[in-house]
Amino acid sequence: MKMSIKSFLSITALFLITPAWAGLDESITRLQSEWEQIKYKQPADKQEKAYEALTKDAAAVRAEHPDRSEADIWYAIALASQAGAKGGLGALSLAKEARTVLEQSLARNPEALNGSAYVTLSSLYCQVPGWPIGFGDKDKARELLNKALALNPNGIDPHYFMGDCLYRAGEYEKARASLETALKAPARPNRPLADEGRRKEIEALMVKVKEKLK
């Protein structure tokens, strides 16, 4: 199970934020940067320990901001990533905790970080084994991704995960269309490493999709 998956305040809003909001924004930026370095720069055999440390860091940020969905989301992303690196049944408890946190975040503010909770939760439903082992449900994953795309129709992540989910479901033509759209997504400010890494993942998955379409 590989899982793996942020919004910046506008310039005008920068003059209105409280110190607590400013602190959270800085923490989210740091967590995001750490996650990108682990996912796209760390060797695979070192990622589990690195994600474990990131999860502890994200838990501390969440404890400082218990009412902020942004902190929930990045704690869940760290948990899900740790689960993906760990793999096997031992990762299921981490995935279940991530699911619970994301559901709480969505209940509070579904639009936080451009709907990132929907994207991360969808990846869990798509990649975790189904009943009786886990809670995986590809139909549920697609439903969540459609909600993410409604909030972020041009985002690289929701289109990539939709393509991945469709590929896993054997819907290869639709998967190719989603991945082609993902490759056309605009660059994200201050996230060149994440964009580069995600595009490589999209291209690798596209090769698999085209093989199935031959």
Side-chain angles (χ1 to χ4, degrees):
M1 179 176 65
K2 292 294 178 186
M3 306 175 187
S4 90
I5 254 152
K6 161 177 173 119
S7 64
F8 286 98
L9 298 170
S10 67
I11 294 175
T12 54
L14 288 173
F15 297 99
L16 302 175
I17 57 177
T18 65
W21 272 70
L24 175 59
D25 190 55
E26 292 169 0
S27 295
I28 294 299
T29 299
R30 175 173 50 79
L31 292 173
Q32 181 175 270
S33 178
E34 291 174 2
W35 179 86
E36 292 171 1
Q37 289 293 325
I38 296 168
K39 182 169 178 61
Y40 296 118
K41 293 296 185 182
Q42 285 270 21
D45 62 350
K46 296 184 181 301
Q47 288 188 359
E48 183 182 350
K49 287 293 184 182
Y51 281 131
E52 184 179 354
L54 180 64
T55 297
K56 292 178 181 177
D57 193 1
V61 172
R62 186 175 180 232
E64 292 174 1
H65 304 278
D67 298 323
R68 300 304 308 169
S69 292
E70 295 86 350
D72 289 341
I73 291 169
W74 270 99
Y75 176 60
I77 289 172
L79 280 169
S81 300
Q82 185 183 347
K86 186 177 183 67
L89 294 178
L92 191 55
S93 62
L94 295 169
K96 286 181 176 179
E97 184 179 356
R99 177 185 61 170
T100 298
V101 172
L102 289 165
E103 288 172 345
Q104 292 170 347
S105 173
L106 287 169
R108 181 187 295 125
N109 180 11
E111 297 184 6
L113 302 183
N114 288 330
S116 290
Y118 284 123
V119 177
T120 305
L121 187 56
S122 76
S123 74
L124 291 172
Y125 274 105
C126 189
Q127 298 180 56
V128 167
W131 188 89
I133 297 173
F135 58 86
D137 184 334
K138 289 180 174 55
D139 289 336
K140 179 68 173 179
R142 199 175 309 189
E143 174 189 333
L144 292 164
L145 282 168
N146 283 327
K147 292 180 179 180
L149 285 166
L151 291 170
N152 187 17
N154 298 316
I156 190 172
D157 285 340
H159 284 292
Y160 164 68
F161 282 106
M162 180 64 87
D164 180 61
C165 195
L166 290 165
Y167 169 76
R168 291 169 186 269
E171 298 185 43
Y172 304 122
E173 286 287 1
K174 291 181 180 179
R176 178 167 62 180
S178 290
L179 294 173
E180 287 173 347
T181 302
L183 286 173
K184 297 174 184 176
R188 292 173 287 187
N190 304 315
R191 299 202 64 186
L193 177 57
D195 281 346
E196 179 187 7
R198 186 65 81 204
R199 290 180 190 282
K200 287 180 180 178
E201 290 175 311
I202 294 167
E203 290 165 356
L205 182 55
M206 185 69 86
V207 171
K208 295 179 180 180
V209 169
K210 289 180 178 178
E211 284 293 321
K212 293 292 185 179
L213 289 171
K214 286 182 177 179

